[in-house]
Amino acid sequence: MSIAVATEIDLNSQLVLDNEAVSTLFLDARTANSWSDEEISDETLQAIYELTKMGPTAFNSQPLRLTWLRSAESRERLVPHLMDGNKEKTRTAPMVAILSFTNEWHSLMPTTAPHMAGSLMEMFEGDLAGRNAMGSNNAHLQAGYFIMAARAAGLTVGPMTGINPAGIDAEFNADSSHSVIMVVNLGKPGVPSDRDRLHRLDFDLATVTL
Ligand SMILES: Cc1cc2nc3c(=O)[nH]c(=O)nc-3n(C[C@H](O)[C@H](O)[C@H](O)COP(=O)(O)O)c2cc1C
């Protein structure tokens, strides 16, 4: 199978991954709204995390925290805090992940970045705004790794920010340093998307070489 993309270059000749991997991760992967009924095992969830955690973060801070919602009861606690258009697909997805960041990421620096833990902890200890900004930014990066890791495990995903963050934090993150950034539905592929791919911006529009 060769890769068909609207590009003037031969994409295949520039990549080190095989075509199937590139299709699974990027070219054929679509945002999902329906899934098969197949359960997602705990081993698959752990595999997704094992890949996600390897993506780079500033100071190796790794602020992403995940809450897996497997039970119907936990799902029903989440649904009222989603935009209407996101409710049914979240009820029917085999697995739902709440992605949050912790603003206490700096307290793990002795483990995650021992060579600079002292100076970083001193710098960020009294700077909650700085910790929130770093935590949110780097958790969003990790959310991207999470999406690609789930695809690498053969799942299709539906990321959503059509959520009420305050409601989700009150329900799932109360009395913690965690703040939700995104909800992601996951499962084995169901009915393929019947929506045309939306336009992706061309290289010349989105990039400049100096
Ligand atoms: C961070 C993020 C938030 C999104 N939020 C929603 C959402 O709340 N509801 C929804 O239906 N789709 C949501 N989407 C899906 C996007 O619209 C979709 O990924 C994009 O149009 C590309 O679609 P494709 O993967 O099928 O090409 C979100 C996607 C991302 C990455």
Side-chain angles (χ1 to χ4, degrees), residues 30-31 86 89 151 159-162 182 197-198 200:
R30 295 294 305 274
T31 298
N86 289 334
K89 54 194 170 197
R151 288 177 171 179
M160 300 179 299
T161 48
M182 195 181 299
R197 212 25 138 177
L198 293 176
R200 298 309 208 258

Side-chain angles (χ1 to χ4, degrees), residues 11-105:
L11 191 54
N12 285 306
S13 69
Q14 299 303 314
L15 303 177
V16 296
L17 293 181
D18 65 40
N19 288 356
E20 191 180 345
V22 175
S23 294
T24 300
L25 294 175
F26 295 96
L27 297 178
D28 289 342
R30 295 294 305 274
T31 298
N33 293 317
S34 83
W35 296 268
S36 80
D37 292 337
E38 196 177 329
E39 290 271 320
I40 309 302
S41 69
D42 288 339
E43 288 74 16
T44 299
L45 300 185
Q46 182 153 6
I48 293 170
Y49 179 71
E50 296 300 325
L51 294 184
T52 301
K53 75 181 186 185
M54 299 312 293
T57 51
F59 307 133
N60 198 28
S61 52
Q62 303 170 68
L64 181 69
R65 298 294 181 267
L66 295 167
T67 304
W68 304 109
L69 304 184
R70 186 189 288 290
S71 70
E73 295 75 22
S74 64
R75 218 69 73 74
E76 286 307 321
R77 288 171 55 201
L78 173 66
V79 165
H81 309 295
L82 304 177
M83 277 174 41
D84 285 348
N86 289 334
K87 288 183 174 171
E88 193 51 29
K89 54 194 170 197
T90 302
R91 280 199 183 94
T92 55
M95 181 57 61
V96 180
I98 299 176
L99 278 59
S100 303
F101 76 88
T102 174
N103 62 29
E104 289 290 331
W105 52 267

Side-chain angles (χ1 to χ4, degrees), residues 165-179:
I168 294 176
D169 283 340
E171 184 66 34
F172 292 95
N173 287 333
D175 302 324
S176 81
S177 64
H178 301 181
S179 302

